[in-house]
Amino acid sequence: MTIADIDLVLSAPVNLRDLGGIPIDGGVLRDGLAIRTDDLAYVPTEVAAQLVAAGLTAIIDLRSPLEVSVTGRGPLADYPVAYHHLPLIADVGESMNRDAPELTHDAMGRMYLRMVEVAAPQLVTALNVIAYTPGTAAFHCAAGRDRTGVVAAMLLLALGAADDDIVADYALTGGNMVAIMQRTAPVMGAMWKALGFDADAAGASSALLEGSMEVSMRTLLDTLRAQHGDALAPLRAAGLSDATIARLRERALAA
């Protein structure tokens, strides 16, 4: 699969939000520390310029190598912004049942748990990037929902946010799902085809438009605590230090 196989139109993100305003230990997360978003690889040049002008200094790309190989970095590659490719899922096709992909809210929560346990080193690196970049860090996958949601949850846990606030931030994506699916359809459709999934299997993601998104994040947080005690235990075992957490909290609360 190459970019020539995709009828790609540059478009602004439809699931971008600054995490500022969420209550954390010691106060409220300030604007300008971290942005979560859907794919930044095919934003228009004017959006890229606006993000950089607003203080963007680092991009954390959570997509798989296949996804990145097709669309690359896009217009933001032309700006002096640090780029960190930290795939939380190495092979999207291998992470799913080819005959009957299970795309329910509960199943997504279990997938998030596997991400945290298997990709803990990448998550630790992502938190260090956010802690030490001099400006704003933006992290994204394709939809800005699943892989992006896991990074947001780990960041907010490190900052001492309550589970309810972590779940509430994650669930905000629910209202954007139709727009997300429309925006990502050309790339995701071509990717599913390249991975050998039929149209019906690829279309199963529409099931995620039903029910409450909160189930997925509750499943992740509850299961992490049930299995590890400390929800950040897998990341601590992978090298997340108290110094990094302290740095994140210092930066998150700074005026």
Side-chain angles (χ1 to χ4, degrees):
M1 181 176 64
T2 68
I3 193 68
D5 300 321
I6 303 171
D7 184 18
L8 185 64
V9 177
L10 297 182
S11 59
V14 294
N15 194 30
L16 182 152
R17 56 185 177 274
D18 193 304
L19 292 178
I22 296 175
I24 59 174
D25 186 26
V28 175
L29 176 55
R30 68 171 176 86
D31 291 340
L33 176 73
I35 292 171
R36 57 173 297 169
T37 180
D38 46 318
D39 206 331
L40 291 178
Y42 42 96
V43 298
T45 54
E46 59 269 25
V47 171
Q50 290 167 3
L51 287 169
V52 174
L56 181 68
T57 57
I59 293 172
I60 301 168
D61 187 343
L62 306 170
R63 296 176 299 162
S64 67
L66 174 61
E67 292 167 277
V68 174
S69 71
V70 173
T71 58
R73 293 175 55 188
L76 278 161
D78 296 330
Y79 292 86
V81 175
Y83 175 78
H84 307 268
H85 182 210
L86 301 172
L88 296 193
I89 300 175
D91 187 324
V92 175
E94 292 301 318
S95 70
M96 301 177 65
N97 184 323
R98 290 182 175 275
D99 296 323
E102 186 181 5
L103 294 175
T104 65
H105 295 297
D106 185 61
M108 299 308 286
R110 296 194 300 272
M111 183 181 76
Y112 299 167
L113 177 65
R114 292 193 296 275
M115 282 190 214
V116 172
E117 293 178 335
V118 174
Q122 293 94 306
L123 291 167
V124 172
T125 301
L127 294 188
N128 274 283
V129 170
I130 296 169
Y132 291 101
T133 193
T136 302
F139 52 96
H140 76 89
C141 51
R145 169 193 168 112
D146 302 312
R147 293 165 287 187
T148 297
V150 168
V151 172
M154 296 302 105
L155 172 61
L156 292 172
L157 281 171
L159 293 175
D163 283 8
D164 285 350
D165 292 317
I166 296 172
V167 171
D169 169 68
Y170 169 80
L172 286 174
T173 292
N176 300 330
M177 280 302 297
V178 172
I180 291 168
M181 293 174 73
Q182 291 172 343
R183 181 175 187 249
T184 60
V187 173
M188 297 308 292
M191 188 184 76
W192 290 130
K193 182 179 179 180
L195 290 172
F197 287 86
D198 62 31
D200 291 339
S205 59
S206 61
L208 294 174
L209 296 175
E210 303 172 0
S212 172
M213 272 189 61
E214 293 188 2
V215 172
S216 303
M217 187 52 63
R218 291 280 184 199
T219 297
L220 171 63
L221 297 174
D222 291 348
T223 309
L224 276 171
R225 290 202 173 86
Q227 295 187 3
H228 299 280
D230 176 6
L232 286 172
L235 272 62
R236 294 185 191 278
L240 179 63
S241 67
D242 291 340
T244 295
I245 292 175
R247 170 73 176 179
L248 282 168
R249 294 188 179 191
E250 177 185 357
R251 291 202 66 223
L253 292 170

